[in-house]
Amino acid sequence: MGQTITEKILARHSGRDEVRPGDIVMCRVDLAMANDVTAPAAADAFARMDVATVWDRSKIALVASHFAPAKDIASANLMTRMRSFALEHDIEHLFEVGRGGIEHILLPEEALTLPGDVVIGADSHSCTYGALGCFSTGVGSTDLAAVMATGEIWLRVPESLRVVYSGAPPPWIVGKDLILSVIAAIGDDGARYMAMEHTGDTLGYLSMDSRLTLTNMAIEAGAKSGIIAPDQTTFDYVSSRQAAVGRHRDWPTLASDSDAAYASEVRIDAASLEPMVARPSLPSRAVPVGEIEPVRVDQVFIGSCTNARIEDLRIAAHVLGDERIAPHVRLMVIPATQRVWQQANAEGLLDLFAGAGASVSTPTCGACLGAHMGVLGPDEVCVSTSNRNYVGRMGHPSAQVYLANPAVAMASAVAGAVAHPAEIRPDAPNLVPELVVG
Amino acid sequence: MGRAWCYGDSVDTDVIIPARYLTTTDPAELAEHALEDLDAGFASAVQAGDFVVAGSNFGCGSSREHAPVALKGAGVGAVVARSFARIFFRNAINTGLVIVTCPELVDVTDSGDEIEVDLAKGVASNVTKNQSFQPEPLPDFILEIVECGGLVEWVKRRTNAA
């Protein structure tokens, strides 16, 4: 019997010819990541492990993202603890404010996550990197400390869930709508412990930006990882990023065998999709935007590791055009990384947003997790391009969060209520997916 | 033995410990806010040895280890659930919060029932209802980490042996 791409990667990293779902294997890790929330506890656990130093200073990335720029003295202390650990162990990849951004968009830009890798991140959205064809999963701080100490992690080889997308996506449909459709179909734990493998001819229409959204939200269905086998889009993206940052490493081209075994399969007819909106307070409560009841909106957030790449900002700008933000709406636009910010600035997008009455900020995870930069008050309603609409996620427990793609989010900001982008702009944008800034 | 605090499915880590409290890693401080956005009365009323009893997918969402640390810090004897989200499962094992997968116990338990869990004997009981069940056993590999007292000691043992 054949193997899935996930099984092949885990076999190669555990010195075996093949592995099967349920096997527990010790895997070699290619990159370990932590952020300002998870790195301090990881540093503490590392100190208790009684090892002299980290296994490989070039394979650890520490990113100031969640409470960055420091929102108060306590969060400044977290970043100090992360920075001290980085200095003590001479960590090569420490990304400070102004030179980084949200890790899940930053590390692919930096060519630090490559196809075929095993990537372990102390953040649940570490499944994002799987869009490049690597095995990538989230863990807590102590697990991450163990990786930093030994270069290895124990993993239970996951069953794979195959998602098959068919057809050309209609106008306005991007990765966000596809993954919300999947989560609505299988539920919030429908892929629990599994590798969610995205396949089908629809992927050929998706930019790397859109694909990263697909794998980003694997965790919202409980999956261990999300993955897309490398193709020409992957090759072009990885090559251009390696050239841009001058960081080169060979990588294998792996794919699932035609007779690989899957625990289950989900089919999504992409050609018939409408933009999707997830009602509060679970991502699985996603329905076509046309089915959403009239909802007056207080805040719109375009940002997060899910939808704050350059493609997302271009889509939002296209919808906005020369309209203005509705007077009662606060629009927060937070580009994901320093590069995305610079690119959007060079294209005039940030000026466009600001001129229309939006707040445009420096990269941070902040608003997505109700940490800072746009925390919601009691009973406020927000349309967000992020990934979670749980109770209290973005602020007060009574606040209501609707998840949507950037076009729906911007249309809602202009309309002042949840809206289909075609209500604001009849034509969908022609997407140019490449990131130009080096 | 302790009292049951019953909750539903998909209790996520954002309600177990909201992000606004993640600026500390101190277990006692985190414990003051355990489950705050789901049950504002929990943290002040929970007693050492009480049990959180919940449905499926407990601990879904964020990878914050602060979640099991907050529950353990609050004195929770164990979380008994139909199923656990995978990152929370690992974090609980690694930090020494006892977790028990036992759907049958969840089915019969109401808030306030007296619960008893004896992992050595493999028995989870609702004393109030006078019913006992066998929790799902942990794989041997994971038991090894539990028996070490968590991942830190497990890593120390392995690196010292090597």
Side-chain angles (χ1 to χ4, degrees), chain A residues 168-232:
Chain A
W172 303 113
I173 299 301
V174 288
K176 185 61 158 291
D177 307 294
L178 300 178
I179 189 64
L180 284 176
S181 303
V182 172
I183 299 167
I186 66 176
D188 299 284
D189 65 347
R192 204 166 52 88
Y193 288 96
M194 291 196 267
M196 185 189 286
E197 185 175 329
H198 302 277
T199 69
D201 63 282
T202 305
L203 295 180
Y205 297 93
L206 299 186
S207 65
M208 187 51 73
D209 281 4
S210 233
R211 293 175 179 201
L212 286 156
T213 307
L214 273 192
T215 48
N216 172 263
M217 290 188 69
I219 180 72
E220 273 66 51
K224 181 173 210 156
S225 56
I227 195 163
I228 299 172
D231 62 4
Q232 189 61 42

Coordinates of all heavy atoms in Angstrom, one line a residue, chain A residues 168-232:
Chain A
A168 N -13.3 25.7 -11.1 CA -12.7 27.0 -10.9 C -13.5 27.9 -9.9 O -14.7 27.9 -10.0 CB -12.7 27.7 -12.3
P169 N -12.8 28.5 -9.0 CA -13.5 29.3 -8.0 C -14.2 30.5 -8.7 O -13.6 31.2 -9.5 CB -12.5 29.8 -7.0 CG -11.2 29.2 -7.5 CD -11.4 28.5 -8.8
P170 N -15.5 30.8 -8.4 CA -16.1 31.9 -9.0 C -15.5 33.2 -8.4 O -14.7 33.2 -7.5 CB -17.6 31.8 -8.5 CG -17.7 30.4 -7.9 CD -16.3 30.0 -7.5
P171 N -15.9 34.4 -9.0 CA -15.4 35.7 -8.5 C -15.6 35.8 -7.0 O -16.6 35.3 -6.5 CB -16.2 36.7 -9.2 CG -16.7 36.0 -10.5 CD -16.8 34.6 -10.1
W172 N -14.7 36.4 -6.3 CA -14.7 36.7 -4.9 C -14.4 35.5 -4.0 O -14.3 35.7 -2.8 CB -16.1 37.2 -4.4 CG -16.5 38.5 -5.1 CD1 -17.6 38.6 -6.0 CD2 -15.9 39.8 -5.1 NE1 -17.7 39.9 -6.5 CE2 -16.7 40.6 -5.9 CE3 -14.8 40.3 -4.4 CZ2 -16.3 41.9 -6.1 CZ3 -14.5 41.6 -4.6 CH2 -15.2 42.4 -5.5
I173 N -14.2 34.3 -4.6 CA -13.9 33.1 -3.8 C -12.4 32.9 -3.6 O -11.7 32.9 -4.6 CB -14.5 31.9 -4.4 CG1 -16.1 32.0 -4.5 CG2 -14.2 30.6 -3.6 CD1 -16.8 32.2 -3.2
V174 N -12.0 32.9 -2.4 CA -10.5 32.7 -2.1 C -10.4 31.6 -1.1 O -11.4 30.9 -0.7 CB -9.9 34.0 -1.5 CG1 -9.7 35.0 -2.7 CG2 -10.7 34.6 -0.4
G175 N -9.2 31.3 -0.7 CA -8.9 30.2 0.2 C -9.8 30.2 1.5 O -10.2 29.2 1.9
K176 N -10.1 31.4 2.0 CA -10.9 31.5 3.2 C -12.3 30.8 3.0 O -12.8 30.2 3.9 CB -11.1 33.0 3.6 CG -11.8 33.3 4.9 CD -11.1 32.7 6.0 CE -11.4 33.3 7.4 NZ -10.9 34.7 7.5
D177 N -12.9 31.0 1.9 CA -14.2 30.5 1.6 C -14.2 29.0 1.5 O -15.1 28.2 1.9 CB -14.8 31.1 0.4 CG -14.8 32.6 0.4 OD1 -15.5 33.2 1.3 OD2 -14.0 33.2 -0.3
L178 N -13.1 28.5 0.9 CA -12.9 27.0 0.8 C -12.8 26.4 2.1 O -13.4 25.4 2.5 CB -11.7 26.7 -0.1 CG -11.7 27.2 -1.5 CD1 -10.4 26.8 -2.2 CD2 -12.9 26.7 -2.3
I179 N -11.9 26.9 3.0 CA -11.7 26.3 4.3 C -12.9 26.4 5.2 O -13.2 25.5 6.0 CB -10.3 26.8 4.9 CG1 -10.0 25.9 6.1 CG2 -10.4 28.2 5.3 CD1 -9.7 24.4 5.8
L180 N -13.6 27.6 5.1 CA -14.8 27.7 6.0 C -15.8 26.7 5.5 O -16.6 26.1 6.3 CB -15.3 29.1 5.9 CG -14.6 30.2 6.7 CD1 -15.2 31.6 6.5 CD2 -14.6 29.9 8.2
S181 N -15.9 26.4 4.2 CA -16.8 25.4 3.7 C -16.5 24.0 4.3 O -17.3 23.2 4.6 CB -16.8 25.3 2.2 OG -17.1 26.5 1.6
V182 N -15.2 23.7 4.3 CA -14.7 22.4 4.8 C -15.1 22.3 6.3 O -15.7 21.3 6.8 CB -13.2 22.3 4.7 CG1 -12.7 21.0 5.4 CG2 -12.8 22.2 3.2
I183 N -14.8 23.3 7.1 CA -15.1 23.3 8.5 C -16.6 23.2 8.8 O -17.0 22.5 9.7 CB -14.4 24.5 9.3 CG1 -12.9 24.5 9.1 CG2 -14.8 24.5 10.7 CD1 -12.2 25.8 9.5
A184 N -17.4 23.9 8.0 CA -18.8 23.8 8.1 C -19.3 22.4 7.8 O -20.2 21.9 8.5 CB -19.5 24.8 7.2
A185 N -18.6 21.7 6.9 CA -19.0 20.4 6.5 C -18.7 19.3 7.5 O -19.4 18.4 7.8 CB -18.4 20.0 5.1
I186 N -17.5 19.5 8.2 CA -17.0 18.4 9.0 C -17.1 18.7 10.5 O -17.0 17.9 11.4 CB -15.6 17.9 8.7 CG1 -14.6 19.0 8.9 CG2 -15.5 17.5 7.2 CD1 -13.1 18.6 8.7
G187 N -17.2 20.0 10.8 CA -17.4 20.4 12.2 C -16.0 20.8 12.9 O -15.0 20.6 12.3
D188 N -16.2 21.4 14.1 CA -15.0 21.9 14.8 C -14.0 20.9 15.2 O -12.8 21.2 15.5 CB -15.4 22.8 16.0 CG -16.3 23.9 15.5 OD1 -15.8 24.9 15.0 OD2 -17.5 23.8 15.7
D189 N -14.4 19.6 15.3 CA -13.4 18.6 15.6 C -13.5 17.5 14.5 O -13.1 16.4 14.7 CB -13.6 18.0 17.0 CG -14.9 17.3 17.2 OD1 -15.8 17.4 16.3 OD2 -15.0 16.6 18.2
G190 N -13.9 17.8 13.3 CA -14.1 16.9 12.3 C -12.8 16.3 11.7 O -12.8 15.2 11.1
A191 N -11.7 16.9 12.0 CA -10.4 16.4 11.5 C -9.5 16.2 12.7 O -8.3 16.2 12.6 CB -9.8 17.4 10.5
R192 N -10.1 16.0 13.9 CA -9.3 15.9 15.1 C -8.2 14.9 15.0 O -8.4 13.7 14.6 CB -10.2 15.6 16.3 CG -9.6 16.0 17.7 CD -10.7 16.0 18.7 NE -11.4 14.7 18.8 CZ -11.0 13.7 19.5 NH1 -9.9 13.8 20.3 NH2 -11.6 12.6 19.4
Y193 N -7.0 15.3 15.3 CA -5.7 14.4 15.3 C -5.3 14.1 13.9 O -4.3 13.3 13.7 CB -5.9 13.1 16.1 CG -6.0 13.3 17.6 CD1 -7.2 13.4 18.3 CD2 -4.8 13.4 18.3 CE1 -7.2 13.6 19.6 CE2 -4.8 13.6 19.7 CZ -6.0 13.7 20.3 OH -6.1 13.9 21.7
M194 N -6.0 14.5 12.8 CA -5.7 14.1 11.5 C -4.8 15.1 10.7 O -4.8 16.3 11.1 CB -6.9 13.8 10.7 CG -7.7 12.6 11.2 SD -8.9 12.0 10.0 CE -10.3 12.9 10.6
A195 N -4.2 14.6 9.7 CA -3.6 15.5 8.7 C -4.6 15.9 7.6 O -5.2 15.0 7.0 CB -2.4 14.9 8.1
M196 N -4.9 17.1 7.4 CA -5.8 17.6 6.4 C -5.1 17.8 5.1 O -4.4 18.8 5.0 CB -6.6 18.8 6.9 CG -7.7 19.2 6.0 SD -8.4 20.8 6.4 CE -9.4 20.4 7.9
E197 N -5.3 17.0 4.1 CA -4.5 17.1 2.9 C -5.5 17.7 1.8 O -6.5 17.1 1.5 CB -4.0 15.7 2.4 CG -3.1 15.8 1.2 CD -2.6 14.4 0.9 OE1 -2.3 13.6 1.8 OE2 -2.3 14.1 -0.3
H198 N -5.1 18.9 1.3 CA -5.9 19.6 0.3 C -5.5 19.1 -1.1 O -4.3 19.2 -1.4 CB -5.7 21.1 0.5 CG -6.1 21.6 1.8 ND1 -7.4 21.9 2.2 CD2 -5.3 21.8 2.9 CE1 -7.4 22.3 3.5 NE2 -6.1 22.3 3.9
T199 N -6.4 18.7 -1.9 CA -6.1 18.3 -3.3 C -7.2 18.8 -4.2 O -8.2 19.3 -3.8 CB -6.1 16.7 -3.3 OG1 -7.5 16.2 -3.1 CG2 -5.2 16.1 -2.2
G200 N -7.0 18.5 -5.5 CA -8.0 18.8 -6.5 C -7.6 19.9 -7.4 O -6.7 20.7 -7.2
D201 N -8.3 20.0 -8.6 CA -8.0 20.9 -9.6 C -8.1 22.4 -9.2 O -7.5 23.3 -9.8 CB -8.8 20.6 -10.9 CG -10.2 20.8 -10.7 OD1 -10.9 19.9 -10.1 OD2 -10.8 21.9 -11.1
T202 N -9.0 22.6 -8.2 CA -9.2 24.0 -7.8 C -7.9 24.7 -7.3 O -7.7 25.9 -7.5 CB -10.2 24.1 -6.7 OG1 -11.4 23.4 -7.1 CG2 -10.5 25.5 -6.2
L203 N -7.0 23.8 -6.7 CA -5.7 24.4 -6.2 C -4.9 25.1 -7.2 O -4.2 26.0 -7.0 CB -4.9 23.3 -5.5 CG -5.5 22.6 -4.3 CD1 -4.5 21.5 -3.8 CD2 -5.8 23.6 -3.2
G204 N -5.1 24.6 -8.5 CA -4.3 25.3 -9.6 C -4.7 26.7 -9.8 O -4.0 27.5 -10.4
Y205 N -5.9 27.1 -9.3 CA -6.3 28.5 -9.4 C -5.9 29.3 -8.2 O -6.2 30.5 -8.2 CB -7.9 28.5 -9.5 CG -8.4 27.8 -10.7 CD1 -8.8 26.5 -10.7 CD2 -8.6 28.5 -11.9 CE1 -9.4 25.9 -11.8 CE2 -9.1 27.9 -13.0 CZ -9.5 26.5 -12.9 OH -10.0 25.9 -14.0
L206 N -5.3 28.7 -7.2 CA -5.1 29.4 -6.0 C -3.6 29.9 -5.8 O -2.7 29.1 -6.0 CB -5.4 28.6 -4.7 CG -6.8 28.1 -4.6 CD1 -7.0 27.4 -3.2 CD2 -7.8 29.2 -4.6
S207 N -3.4 31.2 -5.5 CA -2.1 31.7 -5.2 C -1.6 31.0 -4.0 O -2.3 30.4 -3.2 CB -2.2 33.2 -5.0 OG -2.9 33.4 -3.8
M208 N -0.3 31.2 -3.7 CA 0.3 30.7 -2.4 C -0.4 31.5 -1.3 O -0.6 30.9 -0.2 CB 1.8 30.9 -2.4 CG 2.5 30.3 -1.2 SD 2.0 28.5 -0.9 CE 2.9 27.7 -2.3
D209 N -0.7 32.7 -1.4 CA -1.4 33.5 -0.3 C -2.7 32.8 0.0 O -3.0 32.6 1.2 CB -1.6 34.9 -0.8 CG -0.4 35.8 -0.7 OD1 0.7 35.3 -0.3 OD2 -0.5 37.0 -0.9
S210 N -3.5 32.4 -1.0 CA -4.7 31.8 -0.7 C -4.5 30.4 -0.1 O -5.3 30.0 0.8 CB -5.5 31.7 -2.0 OG -6.8 32.2 -1.9
R211 N -3.5 29.7 -0.6 CA -3.3 28.3 -0.1 C -2.9 28.4 1.4 O -3.2 27.5 2.2 CB -2.1 27.7 -0.9 CG -2.5 27.4 -2.3 CD -1.3 26.9 -3.1 NE -1.7 26.6 -4.4 CZ -1.0 25.7 -5.2 NH1 0.1 25.2 -4.7 NH2 -1.3 25.5 -6.4
L212 N -2.1 29.4 1.8 CA -1.7 29.5 3.2 C -2.9 29.7 4.1 O -2.9 29.3 5.3 CB -0.7 30.7 3.3 CG 0.7 30.3 2.8 CD1 1.5 31.6 2.4 CD2 1.5 29.5 3.8
T213 N -4.0 30.3 3.6 CA -5.2 30.5 4.4 C -5.9 29.1 4.5 O -6.4 28.8 5.6 CB -6.2 31.4 3.7 OG1 -5.6 32.6 3.4 CG2 -7.4 31.7 4.5
L214 N -5.8 28.3 3.5 CA -6.4 26.9 3.6 C -5.8 26.1 4.7 O -6.5 25.5 5.5 CB -6.1 26.1 2.3 CG -7.1 26.2 1.1 CD1 -6.7 25.2 0.1 CD2 -8.5 26.1 1.5
T215 N -4.4 26.1 4.7 CA -3.8 25.3 5.7 C -3.8 25.9 7.1 O -3.8 25.2 8.1 CB -2.3 25.0 5.3 OG1 -1.7 26.2 4.9 CG2 -2.2 24.0 4.2
N216 N -3.9 27.2 7.1 CA -3.9 28.0 8.4 C -5.0 27.5 9.3 O -4.9 27.4 10.5 CB -4.0 29.5 8.1 CG -4.3 30.4 9.3 OD1 -5.4 30.7 9.6 ND2 -3.2 30.7 10.0
M217 N -6.2 27.3 8.7 CA -7.4 27.0 9.5 C -7.6 25.5 9.7 O -8.7 25.1 10.1 CB -8.6 27.7 9.0 CG -8.5 29.2 9.2 SD -10.0 30.1 8.8 CE -11.1 29.6 10.1
A218 N -6.6 24.6 9.4 CA -6.8 23.2 9.7 C -7.1 23.0 11.1 O -7.9 22.1 11.5 CB -5.5 22.4 9.3
I219 N -6.4 23.8 12.0 CA -6.6 23.6 13.5 C -8.1 23.9 13.9 O -8.6 23.4 14.9 CB -5.6 24.5 14.2 CG1 -5.7 24.4 15.7 CG2 -5.8 26.0 13.8 CD1 -5.3 23.1 16.3
E220 N -8.8 24.8 13.1 CA -10.1 25.1 13.5 C -11.1 23.9 13.2 O -12.2 23.9 13.7 CB -10.6 26.3 12.8 CG -10.3 27.6 13.5 CD -8.8 27.9 13.6 OE1 -8.2 27.9 12.5 OE2 -8.3 28.2 14.7
A221 N -10.6 22.9 12.5 CA -11.3 21.6 12.5 C -10.7 20.5 13.3 O -10.9 19.4 13.2 CB -11.4 21.1 11.0
G222 N -9.7 21.0 14.2 CA -9.1 20.0 15.1 C -7.9 19.3 14.5 O -7.3 18.4 15.2
A223 N -7.5 19.6 13.3 CA -6.5 18.8 12.6 C -5.1 19.1 13.3 O -4.9 20.1 13.9 CB -6.4 19.2 11.1
K224 N -4.3 18.1 13.1 CA -2.9 18.2 13.6 C -2.1 19.0 12.6 O -1.2 19.8 13.0 CB -2.3 16.8 13.6 CG -0.9 16.7 14.1 CD -0.5 15.2 14.3 CE 0.5 15.0 15.3 NZ 0.4 13.6 15.9
S225 N -2.4 18.9 11.3 CA -1.6 19.6 10.3 C -2.5 19.8 9.1 O -3.5 19.1 8.9 CB -0.4 18.8 9.9 OG -0.8 17.5 9.5
G226 N -2.1 20.7 8.2 CA -2.7 20.8 6.9 C -1.6 20.7 5.9 O -0.5 21.2 6.2
I227 N -1.9 20.2 4.7 CA -0.8 20.1 3.8 C -1.3 20.1 2.3 O -2.4 19.7 2.0 CB 0.1 18.8 4.0 CG1 1.4 18.8 3.3 CG2 -0.8 17.5 3.7 CD1 2.4 17.8 3.8
I228 N -0.4 20.7 1.5 CA -0.7 20.7 0.0 C 0.6 20.2 -0.6 O 1.7 20.8 -0.4 CB -1.0 22.1 -0.5 CG1 -2.3 22.6 0.2 CG2 -1.2 22.2 -2.0 CD1 -2.6 24.1 -0.1
A229 N 0.5 19.2 -1.5 CA 1.7 18.7 -2.2 C 2.3 19.8 -3.1 O 1.6 20.5 -3.7 CB 1.4 17.5 -3.0
P230 N 3.6 19.9 -3.1 CA 4.3 21.0 -3.9 C 3.9 20.8 -5.4 O 3.9 19.7 -5.9 CB 5.8 20.8 -3.7 CG 5.9 19.9 -2.5 CD 4.6 19.1 -2.4
D231 N 3.7 21.9 -6.1 CA 3.5 22.0 -7.5 C 4.2 23.2 -8.1 O 5.1 23.8 -7.4 CB 2.0 22.0 -7.9 CG 1.3 23.2 -7.3 OD1 2.0 24.1 -6.8 OD2 0.1 23.3 -7.5
Q232 N 3.9 23.6 -9.3 CA 4.6 24.7 -9.9 C 4.5 26.0 -9.0 O 5.4 26.8 -8.9 CB 4.1 25.0 -11.3 CG 5.0 26.0 -12.1 CD 6.4 25.5 -12.3 OE1 6.6 24.3 -12.5 NE2 7.4 26.4 -12.1

